Amino acid sequence: MNHPTPRPEFFNFDNGPAAVLAFAQSEYDTRLAGLRAIMAATDVDAVVLTSMHGIAYYSGFLYCSFGRPYACVVTQDQATTVSANIDGGQPARRSACDNLVYTDWQRDNYWRAVRECTGSARSVGIEGDHMTLSIRNGLERFLQPEKVVDIAPAAMAQRMVKSKAEIALIREGARVADLGGEAIRDAIRPGVREIDVAMAGRNAMELEIARAFPDSELRDNWVWFQSGLNTDGAHNPVTTRALRCGDILSLNCFPMISGYYTALERTLFLGEPDPAARKIWEANVGAHELGLSLIKPGVKCCDIVAEINAFFAERNLLQYRTFGYGHSFGVLSHYYGREAGLELREDIETVLAPGMVVSMEPMLTLPEGMAGAGGYREHDILLVGEQGAENITKFPYGPEHNILAC
């Protein structure tokens, strides 16, 4: 009797030449060396990265989960991305390290592939801020480590200081965001829908990324363009609302070049704002400019917040502040990634250092029915240097520039 050939649990699929990644191989080697230093300091034999940002940072491969788990397994002598068979050879082509494909012929082949990479690791590092209970249970069952160590805080600290190559990419992202902002401003007029304006900005950014980065992944660039009541939240979705004279507008451009997020955010008005609205807008611009002046090496995040809070409190506006005043940049998106240790909030005591990249983005939201109602936000990106900070956002802000004819 003939027995069918057993289907593989996992296999290598090097299908075609390697893709051109966002960074040179030496950049990924340096990042892995940093992670291996963390492993040595914490007595970790193997790290199982599971987050999109963690895997992308160390390997260059940005996965699309669609309900399937992924990993980048790092030991002292090897790094391997673990991907689902549905992706074919794309993960291997876009990984700056080895790749292993797992199949779904039977349950838990993912963990069998991960175990192939970790071997008999005694101590395993994880991203505790990302790993779900079900994934943690699988790790315990298949790898059976003596010790599990959360390396996420240390890995985040590594990501917070950017390399020269990362900063060059972020500069380009800021430039592309400015172009998207110009396209948005040109598309604004009464009767045009939010979605129409947003598409104009997104199309401009994607065309420029395709021109300037012809080898990059072209995905996940987006625009949130909001008007009227829809400006009250920073992350409100685009709607089909038609613009009207007198509207407060919020322009938000987010180019994503190979997983690297940059942003431009501006308040605009379609027609002259009333005196109450202009007063709120000018106060938020004042807070923005104060914040820009405070970003420099050696300053604590929480101390920056305290000064801006005092500025708003003096004007009886602090209660309308919506969130923190800024955050880090790098491998992140609206659905993955965050360097929470580098946010401008009251509870963050991180000291700014050269190589860090942060935004300044104060926002005030006044509710409907109140004079000056709406959401006001400005957003610039700053590179922290040895002596001060460089603002790489060039799109103008404030009433002198962003009141559009109606």
Side-chain angles (χ1 to χ4, degrees), residues 6-23:
R7 290 168 167 177
E9 297 171 338
F10 48 83
F11 63 101
N12 296 112
F13 189 34
D14 297 330
N15 190 39
V20 178
L21 300 184
F23 304 103

Side-chain angles (χ1 to χ4, degrees), residues 21 40 44 46 56 78 83 106 114 118 150 168 178 217 256 283 285 311 330 335 377-378 381 393-394:
L21 300 184
V44 166
Q78 191 173 15
S83 59
Q106 63 180 341
V114 169
T118 63
D150 182 10
D178 286 342
E217 298 176 335
M256 293 288 299
V285 166
F311 178 92
Y335 54 80
R377 185 170 69 261
E378 315 295 343
I381 302 172
T393 297
K394 305 305 179 185

Side-chain angles (χ1 to χ4, degrees), residues 184-185 187-190 192-194 197 224-232 241-252 265-271 273 281 363 373-378 402-405:
I184 286 173
R185 187 166 54 189
I188 294 171
R189 59 185 181 274
V192 174
R193 300 173 302 172
E194 288 182 5
V197 178
W224 282 323
F225 179 76
Q226 301 133 346
S227 63
L229 177 62
N230 200 29
T231 63
D232 67 346
R241 179 185 184 273
L243 307 189
R244 299 193 293 260
C245 289
D247 275 346
I248 183 173
L249 309 173
S250 187
L251 174 162
N252 308 270
E265 301 173 9
R266 289 289 184 260
T267 297
L268 307 94
F269 271 83
L270 185 53
W281 191 7
M363 180 174 181
Y376 302 76
R377 185 170 69 261
E378 315 295 343
N402 290 327
I403 298 175
L404 307 181

Side-chain angles (χ1 to χ4, degrees), residues 57-283:
Y57 181 77
Y58 291 108
S59 75
F61 168 56
L62 184 64
Y63 67 74
C64 176
S65 175
F66 237 117
R68 296 173 174 88
Y70 287 72
C72 180
V73 181
V74 181
T75 64
Q76 284 296 344
D77 57 7
Q78 191 173 15
T80 309
T81 52
V82 177
S83 59
N85 197 13
I86 193 171
D87 291 330
Q90 187 260 145
R93 293 192 296 271
R94 289 199 170 272
S95 293
C97 57
D98 295 330
N99 172 257
L100 198 59
V101 175
Y102 74 90
T103 67
D104 56 7
W105 310 134
Q106 63 180 341
R107 189 174 297 277
D108 293 323
N109 279 349
Y110 166 78
W111 282 113
R112 295 180 179 93
V114 169
R115 185 173 59 194
E116 178 74 7
C117 301
T118 63
S120 56
R122 174 186 54 83
S123 176
V124 175
I126 64 167
E127 295 174 281
D129 58 354
H130 179 267
M131 182 167 280
T132 64
L133 287 174
S134 62
I135 294 293
R136 176 63 183 265
N137 289 339
L139 182 145
E140 296 282 1
R141 186 156 53 95
F142 278 85
L143 305 189
Q144 299 181 349
E146 296 177 15
K147 182 174 66 171
V148 175
V149 178
D150 182 10
I151 57 89
M156 177 181 65
Q158 181 186 0
R159 296 197 310 273
M160 288 192 319
V161 178
K162 312 303 175 190
S163 67
K164 291 181 180 179
E166 286 181 287
I167 289 174
L169 187 65
I170 291 169
R171 281 186 185 277
E172 278 292 276
R175 181 184 67 81
V176 171
D178 286 342
L179 291 176
E182 292 172 7
I184 286 173
R185 187 166 54 189
D186 291 344
I188 294 171
R189 59 185 181 274
V192 174
R193 300 173 302 172
E194 288 182 5
I195 184 60
D196 300 318
V197 178
M199 287 192 294
R202 186 201 64 213
N203 290 345
M205 293 192 301
E206 290 190 333
L207 287 170
E208 178 59 16
I209 293 170
R211 185 201 68 80
F213 297 88
D215 297 312
S216 70
E217 298 176 335
L218 295 170
R219 59 169 170 169
D220 298 334
N221 305 285
W222 85 102
V223 167
W224 282 323
F225 179 76
Q226 301 133 346
S227 63
L229 177 62
N230 200 29
T231 63
D232 67 346
H235 302 155
N236 292 0
V238 175
T239 74
T240 59
R241 179 185 184 273
L243 307 189
R244 299 193 293 260
C245 289
D247 275 346
I248 183 173
L249 309 173
S250 187
L251 174 162
N252 308 270
C253 293
F254 306 101
M256 293 288 299
I257 305 172
S258 296
Y260 271 71
Y261 165 106
T262 44
L264 166 69
E265 301 173 9
R266 289 289 184 260
T267 297
L268 307 94
F269 271 83
L270 185 53
E272 186 69 32
D274 63 43
R278 187 173 185 123
K279 183 177 180 181
I280 301 300
W281 191 7
E282 289 175 344

